[in-house]
């Protein structure tokens, strides 16, 4: 296994200036929880083009499939805010429940799902009316959310219950709940929807699940306090943020072996893959930076300064 040190990079520090953003981007949206803001990164230039002030300690991020709206959970405001991707303005603030944290949007852009950390529920919100359609009871302290590629299922990582719930998006009911590692937080599904991966914070591992049966396939040891996960290179690589180790583990998804560890910033949390499927962005909480990784070369190729307490929890890239 390789251990790769951070290579010197040019720190991309750009004054946040309003620009006439084309939705053709891609853009990365990074929640800065301690700054009460969201940094918008032009992923072609790898620079921050605008910073949106947003009260409520923004945490979770979900980008609408069309790229026109960005949904940001605001736990202290008990809900989420809606950003207009073109104007960079906050166009709506939605009250959902007191513990709003994880957030996801379906692949048709019709529904927004919000996990409530305190009430052990997921709220289903209409993207058109921004009204709650249903509240679904899940396990304790739900955190990460991901919608299956075929839009049929919502998967929820229940941190306090050490489990994952599988919810039918047709009936909005829990169909199955499966035990995983200790305190799952981040969750991701493959492009085909056949597998799920959860980052288990307290057991320092990743659980691999068969999505159809919800049966565990493998458990993969990673670094200390793994937080979130993403996939790259046609799902052949799984990347996991290790908070205490200040690193990202790179896993071969065929062999389930850890093939490299890449040093990033201090306390990496959120992680998401650029639409090119090769570059991965990592939000570093203590550094207030985003590390850009090249998954082919297994190197950090850039570091971008963002706001204080960079979290970026969720699928934060526009397509």
């Amino acid at each position: 296994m390789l251990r790769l040190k951070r290579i010197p990079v040019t720190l991309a520090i750009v004054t946040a200036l309003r620009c006439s953003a084309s939705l053709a981007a891609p853009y990365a949206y990074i929640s800065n929880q301690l700054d009460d803001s969201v940094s918008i990164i032009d992923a072609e230039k790898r620079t921050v083009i605008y910073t949106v002030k947003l009260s409520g300690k923004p945490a979770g991020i979900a980008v609408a499939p069309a790229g026109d709206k960005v949904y940001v959970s605001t736990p202290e405001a008990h809900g989420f805010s809606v950003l207009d991707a073109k104007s960079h303005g906050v166009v709506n603030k939605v009250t959902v429940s007191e513990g709003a944290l994880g957030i996801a949007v379906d692949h048709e852009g019709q529904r927004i799902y919000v996990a409530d950390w305190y009430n052990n529920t997921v709220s289903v919100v209409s993207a058109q009316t921004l009204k709650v359609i249903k509240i679904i009871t899940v396990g304790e302290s739900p955190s990460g959310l991901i919608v299956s590629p075929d839009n049929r299922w919502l998967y929820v990582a229940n941190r306090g219950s050490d489990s994952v719930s599988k919810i039918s998006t047709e009936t909005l009911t829990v169909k199955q709940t499966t035990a995983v590692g200790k305190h799952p937080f981040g969750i991701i599904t493959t492009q085909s929807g056949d597998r799920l991966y959860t980052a288990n914070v307290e057991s320092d591992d990743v659980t691999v699940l068969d999505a159809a049966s919800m049966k565990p396939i493998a458990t993969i040891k990673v670094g200390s306090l793994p937080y979130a996960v993403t996939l790259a290179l046609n799902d052949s690589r799984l990347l996991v943020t290790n908070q205490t180790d200040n690193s990202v583990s790179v896993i071969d998804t065929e062999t389930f072996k850890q093939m490299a560890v890449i040093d990033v910033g201090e306390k990496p949390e959120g992680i998401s893959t650029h639409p090119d499927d090769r570059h991965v962005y990592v939000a570093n909480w203590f550094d207030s930076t985003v590390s850009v990784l090249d998954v082919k070369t297994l190197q950090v190729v850039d570091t971008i300064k963002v706001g204080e307490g960079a979290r970026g929890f969720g699928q934060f890239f526009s397509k």
Side-chain angles (χ1 to χ4, degrees), residues 1-253:
M1 183 185 75
L2 299 175
R3 179 75 187 186
L4 301 169
K5 295 295 183 182
R6 259 190 295 179
I7 61 174
V9 294
T10 300
L11 197 62
I13 305 175
V14 175
T15 304
L17 298 174
R18 183 179 296 273
C19 73
S20 56
S22 164
L23 295 181
Y27 297 101
Y29 298 86
I30 306 297
S31 54
N32 305 309
Q33 198 159 30
L34 300 181
D35 245 4
D36 278 329
S37 70
V38 174
S39 295
I40 303 174
I41 298 172
D42 182 322
E44 295 304 315
K45 299 176 181 178
R46 295 182 188 158
T47 59
V48 174
I49 60 167
Y50 195 70
T51 299
V52 182
K53 295 303 294 182
L54 187 60
S55 60
K57 302 303 175 189
I61 299 280
V63 182
D68 57 337
K69 296 289 189 297
V70 182
Y71 305 104
V72 186
S73 70
T74 49
E76 289 196 359
H78 301 168
F80 65 92
S81 291
V82 184
L83 308 185
D84 181 276
K86 188 172 183 180
S87 69
H88 308 315
V90 178
V91 293
N92 273 295
K93 293 186 177 182
V94 183
T95 300
V96 178
S97 54
E98 61 181 334
L101 178 62
I103 191 165
V105 60
D106 73 10
H107 299 292
E108 296 175 353
Q110 299 299 306
R111 289 177 176 171
I112 304 151
Y113 300 99
V114 186
D116 187 295
W117 179 268
Y118 296 131
N119 292 318
N120 308 327
T121 60
V122 172
S123 294
V124 185
V125 180
S126 165
Q128 283 69 44
T129 66
L130 298 178
K131 301 295 184 183
V132 176
I133 300 168
K134 188 170 181 179
I135 297 175
I136 306 166
T137 299
V138 290
E140 294 180 11
S141 305
S143 48
L145 304 173
I146 194 76
V147 180
S148 65
D150 62 9
N151 232 31
R152 293 183 58 204
W153 307 103
L154 172 70
Y155 301 101
V156 186
N158 304 307
R159 191 181 193 276
S161 295
D162 302 337
S163 67
V164 172
S165 294
K166 181 178 184 178
I167 296 172
S168 166
T169 58
E170 180 181 1
T171 63
L172 299 179
T173 56
V174 176
K175 292 299 183 183
Q176 196 171 348
T177 298
T178 297
V180 291
K182 192 173 180 181
H183 290 186
F185 202 81
I187 187 168
I188 195 74
T189 180
T190 55
Q191 296 175 57
S192 63
D194 62 334
R195 286 181 183 172
L196 293 169
Y197 300 88
T198 66
N200 306 314
V201 180
E202 293 296 334
S203 52
D204 296 338
D205 57 26
V206 170
T207 300
V208 187
L209 295 174
D210 176 88
S213 67
M214 294 297 286
K215 292 182 179 179
I217 298 171
T219 300
I220 307 165
K221 293 301 291 185
V222 289
S224 180
L225 303 186
Y227 182 89
V229 284
T230 195
L231 290 157
L233 299 183
N234 198 31
D235 293 344
S236 66
R237 300 292 180 264
L238 174 73
L239 293 96
V240 187
T241 51
N242 304 309
Q243 295 174 90
T244 306
D245 289 346
N246 305 328
S247 70
V248 170
S249 292
V250 183
I251 310 297
D252 183 316
T253 58

Side-chain angles (χ1 to χ4, degrees), residues 285-316:
W285 174 275
F286 285 158
D287 277 4
S288 301
T289 62
V290 169
S291 299
V292 182
L293 313 185
D294 184 325
V295 183
K296 284 189 176 179
T297 64
L298 299 175
Q299 291 183 329
V300 176
V301 294
D302 216 337
T303 302
I304 305 166
K305 185 68 177 177
V306 290
E308 189 178 358
R311 194 164 189 188
F313 179 49
Q315 307 301 302
F316 56 69

